[in-house]
Amino acid sequence: MTQWVALLIAMVAVCAVVLSVVVLRQRRISEDDDPSETPDVIEYMVMMIGVVYAIVLGLAIAGVWEGQGGAQADVVAEAQALHEVKERVQVYPADVRDRVRSDVDAYVRYVTGTEWPYMRDHGDLSPEGTVLLDQVRTDVTQFDPKSDLAAQAYQPVVDAVAAADQARVSRGQSAGATMPGMVWFGLISGGLVTVGLIFTLQIRRSARELLLAGLFSALIAFLLFLIWDLDAPFGSGLTVSSDALRAIL
């Protein structure tokens, strides 16, 4: 079952629960009940709680979205650094150049083919990927340039490998979820309170009110799902793409 199917089921389930509560509650209301008698202070409190929760949701979405963008930027930076390594070793002797490029390609194939699912399952970098990048660093640093042109390219190549390693470390830091459990507790409990407060306004069984209640509860469920999905940049939903790395092969 894909995440989008799970989202659809969750939204339908939330709508069904809310509408069922509305219908059952309406059956227990007497005929002489007047919804206009709802105290103004209750309406004010419901409005304020809704506004505060909307702000919290917006901040949470902005935070995980920024984290997703940062993770994608790390992947692009890593790909650019490795591309620079492959290009700058052009002036190296043929055997050294081919060995460096081959090891870079082996690292990229492993990262895009194996390490991506590993990060999704474990929330961290794989040890094998670190070994492969260390091999690239060994190829570069152990080379003794003999010509002036190779000597001029040596330090930029070393710097490019260091930049790739730094981007890789940053990518590993973004592999797991970043939202603390306390924040999730606040988001979920706040959502339950916000949806529950709509019943204090004595909504009726008219088609308009039932539609609004269902859409409101489905929107809360969708926003919580969106935060959860974006909180794992290398998960199985709206994930960071490895296309930038694949492009250098």
Side-chain angles (χ1 to χ4, degrees):
M1 182 173 60
T2 65
Q3 286 188 319
W4 297 111
V5 175
L7 170 62
L8 181 61
I9 293 175
M11 293 175 65
V12 171
V14 170
C15 287
V17 170
V18 171
L19 296 181
S20 298
V21 172
V22 171
V23 172
L24 293 176
R25 181 175 178 274
Q26 183 65 28
R27 291 179 178 178
R28 301 177 59 182
I29 297 177
S30 60
E31 295 294 335
D32 58 349
D33 181 73
D34 185 7
S36 63
E37 296 179 354
T38 302
D40 293 338
V41 66
I42 293 182
E43 295 183 358
Y44 176 77
M45 291 176 60
V46 170
M47 179 187 68
M48 289 303 300
I49 292 175
V51 170
V52 171
Y53 186 66
I55 294 174
V56 172
L57 276 178
L59 292 175
I61 293 175
V64 295
W65 185 264
E66 183 179 358
Q68 182 101 350
Q72 185 66 65
D74 292 334
V75 174
V76 173
E78 184 178 2
Q80 181 61 36
L82 293 173
H83 175 72
E84 287 295 318
V85 172
K86 294 183 66 175
E87 292 300 317
R88 289 182 179 274
V89 297
Q90 177 67 35
V91 298
Y92 283 14
D95 57 333
V96 179
R97 179 190 65 219
D98 293 343
R99 183 171 65 252
V100 171
R101 288 179 173 177
S102 176
D103 287 342
V104 170
D105 289 344
Y107 169 75
V108 171
R109 290 192 186 96
Y110 177 82
V111 168
T112 57
T114 304
E115 192 167 67
W116 233 251
Y118 185 93
M119 290 189 297
R120 178 190 63 211
D121 299 334
H122 298 84
D124 201 356
L125 298 173
S126 65
E128 181 62 26
T130 303
V131 172
L132 292 174
L133 185 58
D134 287 343
Q135 181 59 49
V136 176
R137 180 184 287 105
T138 300
D139 295 339
V140 170
T141 56
Q142 290 187 350
F143 170 64
D144 184 15
K146 303 298 183 182
S147 66
D148 292 339
L149 190 59
Q152 293 174 5
Y154 177 79
Q155 190 59 47
V157 172
V158 173
D159 293 341
V161 175
D165 188 32
Q166 182 179 2
R168 171 181 169 80
V169 172
S170 298
R171 172 164 58 86
Q173 294 174 345
S174 303
T178 58
M179 294 284 286
M182 184 62 68
V183 175
W184 274 116
F185 173 79
L187 289 174
I188 295 175
S189 59
L192 294 175
V193 171
T194 303
V195 172
L197 283 176
I198 65 176
F199 300 115
T200 64
L201 299 178
Q202 302 184 32
I203 59 177
R204 299 290 182 166
R205 292 173 58 181
S206 67
R208 180 182 61 182
E209 290 173 306
L210 291 178
L211 177 62
L212 290 176
L215 290 178
F216 179 76
S217 56
L219 177 62
I220 296 295
F222 170 76
L223 292 177
L224 290 176
F225 175 87
L226 181 63
I227 295 172
W228 173 76
D229 193 60
L230 291 176
D231 192 36
F234 299 95
S236 56
L238 299 173
T239 61
V240 173
S241 173
S242 62
D243 291 344
L245 285 168
R246 296 179 188 276
I248 71 176
L249 290 175

